[in-house]
Amino acid sequence: MAESSASSLRRQTVTLIRGDGIGPEITAAVQEILDAAAVPIEWEEREAGLECAQRWGTPLPAETLASILRNRVALKGPTTTPIGSGHKSVNVTIRKALDLFANVRPARSLPGVRTRFENVDLIVLRENIEDTYGGIEHWQTPDVVQQLRIITRPGSEVFIRFAFELARRQGRRRITCVHKANIHKMSDGLFRELFYRIAAEYPELHADDILIDNLCMQLVVNPERFDVLVLPNLFGDLVSDLCAGLVGGLGVAPGGNIGTGRAVFEAVHGSAPDIAGRGIANPTALLLSAVQMLHFLGLHRHAHRIEEAVRLTLASGIRTRDLGGNATTREFTRAVISNLAPLDFTELPTLPEAPPPGPQPVASPESAPWHLHGMDVFVRSREGLPALPQQLGPLQLQMISNRGTRVFPGEPPPILLVDWYRCRYLSPDPITPEQLLQALQELTAAGVRWMHVELLHHVNGTALYSRAQGEE
Ligand code: NAI
């Protein structure tokens, strides 16, 4: 979107969610600053969060979602999520409902904010939908919970393309894929493979990759050497908070959740119940999230003007308590307003445009036919190694593992055994789904208590499943 003084007179409607805890205090501060800066925005206020759930019986009313869908853009205060039980996270629900597949978290050193490093300028890009955030969990036995980690080709591709496009448009030099493909060979392996495939279309960017553990070490030693980081969901969650710490902590860490043509901007931090209602919360993180939002809306000059005012304020030593200062939320807000440069659109530089909406995924590559060769049956046994038939029709019992380590055939290693075994039945030749069902029926008739089944496929003679530790 291009900005002109004429277009900036057109007011855009943005959904505003105040949220819980310090949410109302910091959203009010941000509204005040954007109003004072004459940003052409109309707020449409809607509710979400714990207080909303207590009042209306739902943490995310349909009308709130409808408002974001209608306006395409929202600014959201933090919402409280009960731990262990209670309603699902409002954030996760919004991301999924609106398919906000990319989480963009800049981490840039701020003047006057004392940290160990001075020149950090990172963008952490986190895939926002997949990975363990599918929330697919099942109790398998009273001792064992299973969680599925899902990495898909289309989901990763849309996200990684968005990451490269953002890096290009923001004139970045280096883009780094972060993964654990030495252990998660197939899932992170796919993510990394797609990263390099897409990198070929962006020759001006230096693309490389790093293991997540190594990255964490390097970030706390020498963060200046990184530029744009591209991560699957869970790693991205952790690394983005780490990077927030590098530049001054949660009080200054902004974030945006971006999808195709729509986005929700919110601070990284939570509802901070420990300081709620005391007028001391730092509104910077939400304010910088609003700056990101203004770029998304094409209001680059307004964004630039407000960001400069924040930097000037911090540089002048006016800081809230989380940053070692003693300014209240009000005092900080007033200072930012007084530091707004005169409204002169002609002199402000043009900033790179907001990244475009993510493209639709391309079709998966045609692959050779997949052949069914067997199944992993997950069996409960409280008496040690389960007694299982060696043969089920064409299927041969090949291997049993416990917590990923092979315990059959051969001498079981001296490991802690839980009551949940993965039992691998394989056939040298392809089998039919009917033969597999028949095998399961025989297993059930033999009194075996199974919890779930995974199908084992081969393509071009290659197994499409992982081996157990100790399995040849
Ligand atoms: P938190 O981020 O709310 O607080 C952690 C610490 O940072 C606290 O000491 C707090 O006082 C401080 N802090 C956070 N933001 C601050 C700010 N703007 N100014 C000054 N100090 C600030 O994390 P916590 O305590 O783990 O979570 C509280 C609630 O927030 C939970 O219910 C959690 O689920 C929710 N949450 C919501 C998020 C969201 O809506 N985006 C994100 C993270 C947590």
Side-chain angles (χ1 to χ4, degrees), residues 258-289:
I258 320 273
T260 305
R262 47 187 180 236
V264 175
F265 297 87
E266 61 179 340
V268 170
H269 63 71
S271 53
D274 52 337
I275 57 163
R278 291 170 52 196
I280 56 170
N282 186 352
T284 305
L286 190 66
L287 191 53
L288 293 177
S289 309

Side-chain angles (χ1 to χ4, degrees), residues 22 26 76-83 91 95 250-252 266-275 280-285 320 322:
I22 59 169
I26 57 174
K76 180 185 162 296
T79 44
T80 300
T81 310
I83 293 177
N91 300 318
R95 278 171 217 163
L250 290 176
V252 297
E266 61 179 340
V268 170
H269 63 71
S271 53
D274 52 337
I275 57 163
I280 56 170
N282 186 352
T284 305
T320 43
D322 55 306

Side-chain angles (χ1 to χ4, degrees), residues 17 93 198 242 338 398 400 440 472:
I17 298 168
T93 310
I198 294 167
L242 189 159
S338 68
Q398 198 82 19
I400 302 178
L440 266 180
E472 285 80 46

Side-chain angles (χ1 to χ4, degrees), residues 228-311:
V228 178
L229 301 174
V230 181
L231 306 96
N233 205 341
L234 181 59
F235 298 154
D237 189 6
L238 310 179
V239 166
S240 51
D241 272 25
L242 189 159
C243 291
L246 297 175
V247 296
L250 290 176
V252 297
N257 299 290
I258 320 273
T260 305
R262 47 187 180 236
V264 175
F265 297 87
E266 61 179 340
V268 170
H269 63 71
S271 53
D274 52 337
I275 57 163
R278 291 170 52 196
I280 56 170
N282 186 352
T284 305
L286 190 66
L287 191 53
L288 293 177
S289 309
V291 164
Q292 220 180 310
M293 177 185 86
L294 297 180
H295 282 301
F296 183 85
L297 289 170
L299 298 168
H300 305 297
R301 290 168 169 129
H302 285 285
H304 179 78
R305 183 169 172 244
I306 292 170
E307 188 172 1
E308 280 309 299
V310 175
R311 295 179 81 84

